[in-house]
Amino acid sequence: MTAQWLTWDEAADGMLALRRRVFVDEMSWPEKRIHRDRDPDGLHLCAMSGGEIVAAISAYVYEPGAPELAALELSRVEGPSVGIGMRVELPEYRGQLLTAEIGTSMLRQISESLLPSRFFVYVHADTLLHLVDRYARRNFSYHAQVGSGADTVVVMKVEGEEELERFYLQHRDLTRKYSAAGGIPVPSLVRFLAENKRADLLAVTGLGAENHYLRQLRLETEAPRLASQGQVMLAEQRQRLSMTPFPPAPASLLDIGSGPGDYLAAVAGEAPFAGYQVRGVEPAAELLTRARAAYPELDFREGSAYATDEPESSHDVITANFVFVHLRSPDLALLEMRRILRPGGLLYVVDVNDATFTGPEVVRRMMQTYNQAYAGDRLILNDLPKRAQEFGFELVRQFSTTVRDGGGARPVFGEDEIRLGKADAWSLLSFVRTQPGCAEIFEEAQQHYFATECQISLNIETHVYRLRTDTA
Ligand SMILES: C[S@@+](CC[C@H](N)C(=O)[O-])C[C@H]1O[C@@H](n2cnc3c(N)ncnc32)[C@H](O)[C@@H]1O
């Protein structure tokens, strides 16, 4: 079984046949109900077996003011509204929850890349009223009953910043569960839209305005923490950098999410980058100001991972240090990186991977609570090779360093390992405290950690990707 996003041209025959078989033949719907005016522009996600569409679900994007919204008594919201519908599967596949699974992935991917202001569904009261409970369990709330007689529909919606965030996190969590259970891999919606000239739907500006990293932190404490982390990281990275086949100078390096610039300034001085042109891109104005003041010899520009404002194929190396975990849409970042990197160029990613975390039960529970509540993704490195491959990036080097406690006042560097003092190791997790809903579990975990002999560890991973030369 595979899943595919299909254009209406590709999908119409198979999807209409499937809708007809289930809705017309089994449920006695009139034929006109299986056609949606918006189908030609819809986003259609299909489960396929032996080249046949066996299950499908569609999403329709409505701009503010679209008359279809008023007809469903949905008031104006600022951004796009996304209607989900025409969820259908062949009778012989029922019970496998195919549409639940691909639909979950669809909602996650739309939340990540289109950033809609509202999701809604409507269910036909004559045949599908039982779906109301199912949608309610997925955080849709009742909105209105519209129409009359056989045309009555119940409209449900998800609206408002907090509700949409909760909805996103719920669906992200569910997709992880499906995937852990060996579910159907769903390809990237971002890539599908880009390849089908629909990139205008991607919320490049809205996503670029989000900064999940800064949302919960205070710069006064974070800037010095980053600076000292940078020193440890440079010592850890030196050997990794020397083992990576960076192109010789003259060449250009772009660091995305360069923050206060300390780490970039240090790395730029390393041997592999001698003679390189180096530039940092950073979305946060206060960090840019700091970077420019501290390192006037370097070039820092304003921009996000989704919109760097750099010309196409203009860099030989892109680095992203502790940035991917803070992005809602890694796919959109990969699309932009593919655009600005020269074919054959390297993408060098360093980040934590919480999937490697080890520690006592209460601390693991704390990390899990945090990860479920954070709109960035500290598990992204597990998925990154697969996602990057969709955008033409091949993983050519991978390194992993375990950071653990059991050290002394200064970090001790071993092979693929850094030992820190107990308090220093704990301070790596201090960000958890400020995440809403995590303060209590943080206190509990902290007490346990310092009152017992327990140990914790977490891996920092380095992934080096090469952009294939045959990518469009
Ligand atoms: C943990 S800091 C790392 C800073 C620097 N790379 C380092 O290693 O010291 C994360 C950085 O990512 C930036 N960031 C957050 N969201 C971003 C986005 N959408 N695009 C680019 N950078 C982003 C933050 O402003 C911050 O500078």
Side-chain angles (χ1 to χ4, degrees):
M1 186 82 63
T2 58
Q4 274 183 39
W5 296 95
L6 295 177
T7 63
W8 187 242
D9 279 351
E10 295 164 327
D13 291 348
M15 286 187 73
L16 285 174
L18 180 58
R19 289 180 191 175
R20 205 165 278 128
R21 175 146 173 215
V22 173
F23 294 132
V24 178
D25 299 350
E26 280 188 46
M27 292 187 185
S28 307
W29 280 16
E31 167 79 17
K32 70 171 173 31
R33 249 199 221 170
I34 66 165
H35 301 270
R36 291 264 184 111
D37 292 347
R38 296 263 182 163
D39 270 330
D41 293 328
L43 307 175
H44 307 287
L45 182 57
C46 302
M48 324 272 299
S49 180
E52 188 193 6
I53 301 176
V54 298
I57 183 161
S58 300
Y60 306 92
V61 183
Y62 300 86
E63 287 313 311
E68 293 96 327
L69 300 176
L72 295 172
E73 298 180 9
L74 289 162
S75 59
R76 198 182 174 91
V77 283
E78 234 176 70
S81 294
V82 174
I84 305 294
M86 289 294 163
R87 176 184 158 160
V88 59
E89 53 202 349
L90 279 178
E92 51 270 38
Y93 286 88
R94 270 177 220 145
Q96 291 187 30
L97 300 176
L98 286 182
T99 51
E101 184 172 340
I102 60 172
T104 303
S105 182
M106 171 184 258
L107 293 169
R108 171 184 179 173
Q109 292 207 47
I110 290 177
S111 299
E112 281 179 1
S113 52
L114 271 59
L115 222 51
S117 297
R118 167 163 64 207
F119 282 101
F120 68 92
V121 286
Y122 61 84
V123 302
H124 290 279
D126 55 359
T127 46
L128 293 175
L129 216 47
H130 61 283
L131 291 182
V132 167
D133 277 350
R134 215 185 278 175
Y135 285 119
R137 282 199 294 277
R138 290 297 187 90
N139 274 318
F140 280 89
S141 56
Y142 174 86
H143 172 62
Q145 186 160 309
V146 181
S148 60
D151 288 330
T152 307
V153 294
V154 175
V155 185
M156 302 184 76
K157 67 176 182 183
V158 186
E159 206 178 288
E161 219 170 292
E162 267 179 40
E163 284 76 5
L164 285 161
E165 181 106 337
R166 192 166 344 116
F167 183 78
Y168 167 53
L169 295 171
Q170 178 194 21
H171 286 84
R172 188 179 69 180
D173 199 39
L174 284 168
T175 56
R176 285 181 183 150
K177 289 188 174 132
Y178 282 122
S179 142
I184 313 167
V186 177
S188 166
L189 172 61
V190 169
R191 183 182 142 205
F192 171 79
L193 292 174
E195 283 176 359
N196 287 284
K197 306 204 171 4
R198 308 280 307 277
D200 55 308
L201 289 181
L202 297 168
V204 177
T205 311
L207 285 161
E210 290 188 337
N211 195 326
H212 298 292
Y213 164 73
L214 278 185
R215 205 153 87 166
Q216 315 295 349
L217 293 170
R218 289 194 3 259
L219 265 191
E220 308 86 79
T221 48
E222 189 54 12
R225 191 199 67 78
L226 266 187
S228 69
Q229 171 182 289
Q231 284 173 13
V232 176
M233 283 314 299
L234 190 64
E236 187 266 349
Q237 280 290 306
R238 215 160 247 151
Q239 197 197 10
R240 311 304 194 201
L241 292 168
S242 72
M243 290 166 75
T244 300
F246 291 110
S252 98
L253 178 151
L254 185 76
D255 183 48
I256 293 183
S258 45
D262 305 307
Y263 187 66
L264 177 59
V267 165
E270 290 296 297
F273 303 127
Y276 266 55
Q277 259 194 351
V278 175
R279 176 174 293 167
V281 166
E282 166 60 42
E286 58 274 53
L287 291 176
L288 258 184
T289 307
R290 270 175 191 247
R292 285 176 175 150
Y295 305 101
E297 70 285 8
L298 292 182
D299 180 12
F300 293 98
R301 307 251 171 123
E302 189 182 341
S304 80
Y306 312 124
T308 57
D309 214 16
E310 295 292 304
E312 269 177 39
S313 304
S314 55
H315 294 283
D316 301 284
V317 176
I318 292 177
T319 54
N321 295 293
F322 299 97
V323 173
F324 262 99
V325 293
H326 301 299
L327 302 179
R328 183 196 294 259
S329 182
D331 287 10
L332 194 56
L334 289 166
L335 181 71
E336 174 67 350
M337 290 168 178
R338 176 175 79 177
R339 188 185 71 77
I340 62 174
L341 197 58
R342 280 197 194 108
L346 297 185
L347 166 62
Y348 192 93
V349 177
V350 182
D351 234 313
V352 289
N353 181 355
D354 277 4
T356 64
F357 182 79
T358 67
E361 199 275 330
V362 60
V363 187
R364 277 188 284 124
R365 196 153 35 86
M366 173 190 91
M367 297 301 282
Q368 201 177 9
T369 308
Y370 178 87
N371 282 325
Q372 278 170 350
Y374 185 52
D377 184 357
R378 288 179 53 100
L379 301 164
I380 182 61
L381 284 210
N382 263 11
D383 277 354
L384 198 59
K386 194 162 43 72
R387 288 184 182 229
Q389 196 176 25
E390 280 208 56
F391 290 87
F393 291 98
E394 285 170 336
L395 187 62
V396 292
R397 295 279 189 286
Q398 184 168 7
F399 309 103
S400 191
T401 298
T402 304
V403 183
R404 58 174 90 249
D405 50 12
R410 289 178 164 277
V412 181
F413 294 87
E415 192 176 341
D416 297 336
E417 180 186 88
I418 305 174
R419 283 188 181 273
L420 300 176
K422 192 154 175 118
D424 288 339
W426 186 253
S427 76
L428 292 177
L429 308 182
S430 59
F431 60 87
V432 172
R433 184 204 310 253
T434 50
Q435 176 71 28
C438 291
E440 208 173 297
I441 180 89
F442 178 84
E443 292 305 326
E444 192 191 336
Q446 178 169 260
Q447 260 188 15
H448 177 89
Y449 176 72
F450 285 106
T452 63
E453 293 290 303
C454 69
Q455 294 203 312
I456 55 173
S457 79
L458 180 60
N459 289 8
I460 291 172
E461 294 183 3
T462 302
H463 292 190
V464 186
Y465 298 91
R466 177 179 283 121
L467 183 60
R468 289 208 327 255
T469 46
D470 57 354
T471 58

